[in-house]
Amino acid sequence: MSNSSGQRIPVNRYGLTEVYSPADAKPNVDVIFVHGLNGDPHNTWTTEVSKVFWPSQLLPPVLEDEKARVLVYGYDANVTSFTDGVSKDKIHNHAETLVADVYSNRKLRKAGERPIIWVTHSLGGLVVKRALIHSSEIRGVRTEHLRSVFVSTYGILFLGTPHHGSDIAQWGNRLEWICSVVLPKKIVDTEPQLVDALKTNNETLQNIDRQFAQLMTRFHIYFFHEGKPTNLKGTLRFIVDETSASPTAPDVERAVIQADHSHMCKFENDSAPGFERVVEGIQRYAEEAPATIAQRWEAEKKERSTVIQAEAAELYSSRGSRSPAGHGLTASAASIKGVPQSDSSSTFGGSSLGRQHKALPPAEGQASFDENWILEDVTNDKSMA
């Protein structure tokens, strides 16, 4: 495959691959593509005959002014990777790895606060939803850096992702149809247990749908549904119909792509059905994202600072604390009022509960406690014994 300049770029089967970055400027936004069941970070987005890989060949010229970096993500997307083996939520495993990979890639490039726009196909949308749920829930002092993926996400474009799953039986049918489209016929016919396993996993997929609903208002969302049915053993059927792929929700965008489920994410040229709708959405998000995400990071940092100051005040007033006139106050963080001792982390990781802390004494003339005090971990500080 090649980028917009014609240079060939190898795409890694697993993990992130940067397929385009502006040559003359620092990127302002990251656009990340995530494939679905039995997909591939290259083939999912590549036309079958002309081999046009649109994330690097058609998209970059449109995003020239927005200075976007374009990446594709690959992961083990066979049927078994979407099922619960030995009571393990494997979609959650994919989500954790996706968050870690995205964080690491951006951190190494000093771009941890750069806005993110996701483009997903089919069940890849569920992996991204689960990743954002995971990132949003992180509170531990040693893992709060992974929260950056949630804070930095501005928009998501879902292409043929099954969202609406109120009917358990219908969920099972949709998953079976997706398998019929994306899996080799011999697997569907000779290994039906794999398909059955995915169908029985629909409760996990529904839980993702419900949890993500609580986060939706934070993001700009664009739903796309297939406009042409797929031939399944002689029967024309919409694999993920409009009701599921483009559910009606407040303040979201919805549109159709006149292609079937497998081809709605492949664009031959800029005149291909759906191309302008999808790319215009990406471009608009890329233009709007920097200002909004900068404000969110400012609010995030203020909130973390507030939590740290509140914990310092709690420590100062907790039982067993010593006066600042001594050699610094100490207290077991587990004794903080209203915080269960089993809790292992603070709200934003400002301090680690259950560990000893010291608030350094104020400078001469300084008030007994104010925001300039510094919390210092003294778990191994012999002077505090």
Side-chain angles (χ1 to χ4, degrees):
M1 86 235 41
S2 60
N3 60 15
S4 59
S5 64
Q7 180 182 2
R8 293 182 63 83
I9 301 174
V11 171
N12 299 324
R13 178 64 185 87
Y14 302 114
L16 285 165
T17 301
E18 180 182 293
V19 297
Y20 175 78
S21 185
D24 57 350
K26 183 178 180 180
N28 290 332
V29 63
D30 285 342
V31 181
I32 306 176
F33 288 74
V34 181
H35 64 79
L37 180 66
N38 208 49
D40 179 273
H42 171 230
N43 296 338
T44 292
W45 315 103
T46 302
T47 55
E48 295 165 357
V49 177
S50 58
K51 303 301 180 184
V52 174
F53 180 59
W54 73 274
S56 71
Q57 293 176 263
L58 302 180
L59 182 60
V62 181
L63 300 178
E64 183 176 359
D65 291 341
E66 289 69 31
K67 295 178 172 51
R69 186 173 69 129
V70 182
L71 306 97
V72 293
Y73 184 73
Y75 60 101
D76 181 6
N78 59 40
V79 177
T80 56
S81 73
F82 274 88
T83 61
D84 286 352
V86 197
S87 299
K88 292 182 180 179
D89 180 355
K90 292 191 177 181
I91 291 184
H92 180 64
N93 292 344
H94 287 320
E96 286 185 318
T97 303
L98 174 57
V99 169
D101 283 352
V102 170
Y103 168 79
S104 299
N105 180 280
R106 289 154 53 85
K107 175 65 174 178
L108 290 172
R109 291 159 181 77
K110 304 185 185 306
E113 298 180 12
R114 183 184 296 162
I116 299 173
I117 297 168
W118 302 92
V119 182
T120 73
H121 177 241
S122 194
L123 296 187
L126 300 183
V127 174
V128 169
K129 287 162 72 171
R130 189 67 186 87
L132 292 173
I133 293 167
H134 167 63
S135 179
S136 73
E137 294 174 343
I138 291 174
R139 294 291 187 270
V141 64
R142 296 178 182 85
T143 55
E144 69 173 0
H145 57 279
L146 298 175
R147 184 175 162 83
S148 66
V149 174
F150 167 72
V151 178
S152 296
T153 291
Y154 179 82
I156 314 165
L157 292 86
F158 294 103
L159 281 62
T161 295
H163 300 284
H164 189 68
S166 58
D167 185 333
I168 290 284
Q170 190 65 17
W171 257 95
N173 290 336
R174 288 195 184 102
L175 296 172
E176 183 173 13
W177 298 339
I178 290 173
C179 288
S180 298
V181 171
V182 303
L183 298 178
K185 185 176 183 299
K186 63 180 182 180
I187 292 180
V188 176
D189 292 343
T190 62
E191 299 186 51
Q193 72 276 10
L194 295 181
V195 179
D196 289 341
L198 182 59
K199 290 170 64 177
T200 58
N201 192 40
N202 54 35
E203 185 174 352
T204 294
L205 304 185
Q206 282 194 311
N207 288 337
I208 293 174
D209 190 40
R210 285 192 290 265
Q211 288 178 283
F212 186 75
Q214 301 175 34
L215 305 178
M216 278 183 60
T217 56
R218 183 181 180 91
F219 310 123
H220 285 67
I221 291 177
Y222 209 146
F223 293 135
F224 293 90
H225 56 276
E226 59 212 60
K228 291 186 176 181
T230 298
N231 189 332
L232 291 181
K233 301 178 181 179
T235 301
L236 293 177
R237 191 183 301 278
F238 288 100
I239 305 304
V240 184
D241 62 21
E242 179 179 352
T243 302
S244 180
S246 298
T248 302
D251 206 23
V252 301
E253 298 177 86
R254 304 166 69 252
V256 63
I257 295 177
Q258 290 299 329
D260 63 27
H261 187 75
S262 294
H263 295 90
M264 68 185 302
C265 54
K266 298 172 171 63
F267 301 119
E268 186 89 24
N269 50 51
D270 57 12
S271 299
F275 175 80
E276 289 190 344
R277 292 192 192 98
V278 172
V279 172
E280 185 280 327
I282 297 173
Q283 182 189 51
R284 176 158 40 89
Y285 291 174
E287 180 181 4
E288 299 169 348
T292 299
I293 296 303
Q295 292 174 357
R296 288 182 182 171
W297 269 109
E298 182 178 355
E300 177 83 1
K301 292 172 182 177
K302 286 182 179 179
E303 190 166 0
R304 291 181 183 180
S305 176
T306 298
V307 169
I308 292 173
Q309 292 174 29
E311 288 185 345
E314 293 269 16
L315 286 167
Y316 175 66
S317 62
S318 62
R319 294 190 305 272
S321 62
R322 294 206 301 265
S323 166
H327 300 288
L329 75 89
T330 67
S332 170
S335 66
I336 292 177
K337 182 178 180 181
V339 178
Q341 294 192 22
S342 60
D343 198 317
S344 61
S345 65
S346 65
T347 303
F348 285 98
S351 64
S352 179
L353 300 183
R355 297 160 67 184
Q356 292 284 326
H357 294 78
K358 172 174 66 179
L360 301 184
E364 184 175 355
Q366 183 177 307
S368 297
F369 175 81
D370 68 20
E371 63 181 14
N372 294 316
W373 278 50
I374 301 174
L375 273 184
E376 185 175 287
D377 182 9
V378 293
T379 302
N380 298 315
D381 190 343
K382 296 181 179 179
S383 68
M384 306 302 295

